[in-house]
Amino acid sequence: MASVFDTMLDAEQVAAFLAYREGARSHDPYLPAMRDYLLSDRYPNDVARLRSGDYYFSVPVKKLIPKSYTDRKRVVYHFQKDEMSLLRMMAFTLHYHNGMFSPNLYSFRRGVSAKDCLNKMKHDLRLPSLPAVKADVQAYGSSIDIDLLIPCVERAFVDDPEFVAFVRWLLQRRTFFFDGQLMQGDTSALPGIPIHNLFTNLYLSDADELFSSRSVFYARYSDDIVMFTRTDGEAHACLDDLLALLERKHLSPHPNKTEILAPGAQFDFLGMSFCDCEIDVAKSSLAKLKRRTRMRALYLERDVRHLYPSREDKARRLIALTNRTIYGRPGTDDFSWSRWVFPVVTKTDGLHELDLYVQHCLRYLLSGKWSNARYRVGYKELKRLGYKSLVRAYFDEKER
């Protein structure tokens, strides 16, 4: 296979990347700048500089990004605009090396998705009768040990020393700006940069190799792992070995998400809740959507900019925002929440719960009250304003 830098310089690959970005979403805020840069003379010159060992990249900026409607924050690093465009092109190129990974790895691989994993689990009738091991890693992206990661990159790209040399330099700088100050310290695997997903896939690839052969079913999505075994004894042995592997990698298992499951027991994986042969939306996924809906309703009720003069206007706006989140933007082919969930779930309890909560927030906007007085607003009124039942949409999709 051609080296990473060779592929990045291929004009057809640049065109394929830009076409991919244009088709991946209806509005890509980075696309104009990327197109200008990748089609300019600067891009091939910059790739040639990296290839020759002239590592011109700026010092990255560290940022703390709030996680949606929580008090927690995510650490991300960001380079200058052209450098990020080059790294996005590099990430696109790296998908041609997906063959190095186990087929049981479902994260960040073009042509392979989490939905493939969930559908495989959904149709494997053996799994509800088998014990399982479920594991998750705390703060995985920012906990990767660089000194252990670099040998993983070297083994995976043994025939591409120029790319390995660039990655080694990139990870070993340990220099960044934070709050305007130049600092030295651990940057882990630079979460937030476009090629970070390669590092998260590689770092636990030995777990994929080990447990794929020892379990009836094994799947990993980044740091989210599930495996089914024939006996309880095998499940305990696999969990012990997995915990030992995580310790060697200097990773910490999530205490509430790492356990052995009895046959048919309920567990969450990739935002879904599994119990026996049924699949529903996980409570954690519902909580995020409900929290977002409530925050939007409170924001619209305040309406400090006076954009929505009547209560009906506020309710219509919440319906529009909720529909965009769940069904995507009208007239586009964006990958929406419903397109991810509808083909997978077999139960509608979670969808019904979310329906009721959206109705709850709409009645609040229309009545101005969270109390039972909001029930003076009937369901027909919500439908008149454009509300669409998620459960009804699910069954309509099934019929189609």
Side-chain angles (χ1 to χ4, degrees):
M1 181 176 290
S3 72
V4 172
F5 290 130
D6 279 339
T7 309
M8 290 177 66
L9 290 171
D10 186 330
E12 291 185 1
Q13 292 304 319
V14 173
F17 170 66
L18 292 174
Y20 166 73
R21 294 291 297 213
E22 289 169 358
R25 61 198 77 181
S26 59
H27 176 65
D28 185 342
Y30 304 111
L31 184 58
M34 283 193 298
R35 184 187 292 110
D36 290 345
Y37 171 68
L38 293 174
L39 298 179
S40 72
D41 293 336
R42 302 193 308 277
Y43 171 66
N45 291 337
D46 288 346
V47 174
R49 291 174 66 184
L50 295 181
R51 188 175 196 171
S52 66
D54 178 11
Y55 305 130
Y56 65 89
F57 268 36
S58 61
V59 175
V61 176
K62 177 180 177 179
K63 297 181 180 180
L64 300 179
I65 307 298
K67 301 186 80 171
S68 299
Y69 305 106
T70 70
D71 295 330
R72 294 179 295 167
K73 294 187 177 182
R74 180 184 292 110
V75 175
V76 298
Y77 293 86
H78 198 277
F79 288 96
Q80 292 181 5
K81 184 169 59 177
D82 285 355
E83 295 161 356
M84 290 294 284
S85 294
L86 186 147
L87 289 173
R88 291 187 185 101
M89 180 65 202
M90 182 179 288
F92 178 83
T93 300
L94 288 168
H95 282 289
Y96 291 103
H97 297 263
N98 274 342
M100 72 175 71
F101 297 116
S102 163
N104 298 314
L105 174 69
Y106 293 90
S107 49
F108 318 123
R109 300 174 64 189
R110 194 176 307 128
V112 178
S113 71
K115 189 161 66 173
D116 296 325
C117 176
L118 294 173
N119 280 324
K120 191 174 180 181
M121 295 174 68
K122 177 179 177 179
H123 295 106
D124 193 331
L125 301 181
R126 302 170 300 169
L127 303 189
S129 63
L130 298 175
V133 175
K134 177 70 179 65
D136 205 337
V137 178
Q138 286 186 307
Y140 178 51
S142 57
S143 302
I144 293 174
D145 189 317
I146 296 172
D147 295 328
L148 298 178
L149 172 61
I150 289 174
C152 297
V153 178
E154 291 172 341
R155 288 192 296 270
F157 293 90
V158 65
D159 296 325
D160 197 348
E162 294 164 340
F163 174 70
V164 170
F166 168 67
V167 170
R168 188 186 299 114
W169 170 83
L170 191 70
L171 295 176
Q172 290 181 333
R173 293 173 78 189
R174 295 184 170 91
T175 304
F176 57 92
F177 282 104
F178 184 62
D179 282 344
Q181 301 295 316
L182 182 63
M183 306 180 73
Q184 295 282 336
D186 180 28
T187 56
S188 186
L190 293 170
I193 70 169
I195 61 172
H196 174 71
N197 294 338
L198 169 72
F199 304 145
T200 61
N201 278 354
L202 279 176
Y203 197 60
L204 286 176
S205 57
D206 46 357
D208 304 335
E209 183 178 349
L210 176 62
F211 296 110
S212 291
S213 60
R214 290 180 53 183
S215 53
V216 175
F217 179 94
Y218 170 88
R220 176 168 74 93
Y221 190 96
S222 189
D223 63 329
D224 208 353
I225 295 173
V226 66
M227 65 183 93
F228 291 82
T229 60
R230 295 174 183 81
T231 66
D232 289 339
E234 289 180 355
H236 282 86
C238 285
L239 178 59
D240 290 343
D241 290 344
L242 177 59
L243 293 176
L245 186 149
L246 294 179
E247 185 176 2
R248 291 195 300 273
K249 296 281 190 177
H250 303 160
L251 299 173
S252 301
H254 196 295
N256 300 324
K257 299 180 181 179
T258 303
E259 57 185 334
I260 292 177
L261 302 161
Q266 186 275 334
F267 68 94
D268 291 349
F269 185 59
L270 301 180
M272 298 294 164
S273 175
F274 292 77
C275 187
D276 282 332
C277 297
E278 299 288 352
I279 305 175
D280 201 352
V281 183
K283 291 294 184 183
S284 57
S285 299
L286 289 176
K288 292 177 183 177
L289 286 168
K290 290 161 72 173
R291 189 160 49 241
R292 178 181 296 180
T293 304
R294 181 181 178 87
M295 295 297 290
R296 284 172 169 171
L298 292 172
Y299 176 80
L300 288 166
E301 173 64 15
R302 290 194 300 269
D303 190 20
V304 293
R305 297 169 63 189
H306 306 292
L307 298 176
Y308 309 101
S310 72
R311 292 202 167 275
E312 284 195 4
D313 292 331
K314 298 177 195 291
R316 284 194 178 95
R317 180 56 179 165
L318 181 59
I319 290 170
L321 291 171
T322 302
N323 287 347
R324 182 184 300 175
T325 297
I326 294 176
Y327 306 111
R329 293 176 181 268
T332 72
D333 196 33
D334 286 349
F335 189 78
S336 62
W337 187 83
S338 61
R339 285 183 60 188
W340 152 251
V341 169
F342 284 179
V344 175
V345 296
T346 60
K347 293 178 64 178
T348 59
D349 293 5
L351 301 180
H352 180 61
E353 181 179 336
L354 185 57
D355 265 340
L356 292 178
Y357 195 81
V358 173
Q359 294 171 30
H360 170 75
C361 292
L362 287 171
R363 287 187 169 105
Y364 160 68
L365 286 177
L366 289 167
S367 68
K369 300 179 184 298
W370 288 112
S371 66
N372 287 340
R374 70 185 185 277
Y375 287 109
R376 294 170 186 166
V377 179
Y379 183 73
K380 287 184 178 180
E381 177 68 7
L382 302 183
K383 288 186 66 177
R384 184 183 69 82
L385 294 174
Y387 171 72
K388 182 179 181 181
S389 163
L390 193 55
V391 173
R392 182 67 263 167
Y394 168 77
F395 284 111
D396 288 345
E397 182 68 24
K398 288 293 183 185
E399 289 177 7
R400 283 195 293 271

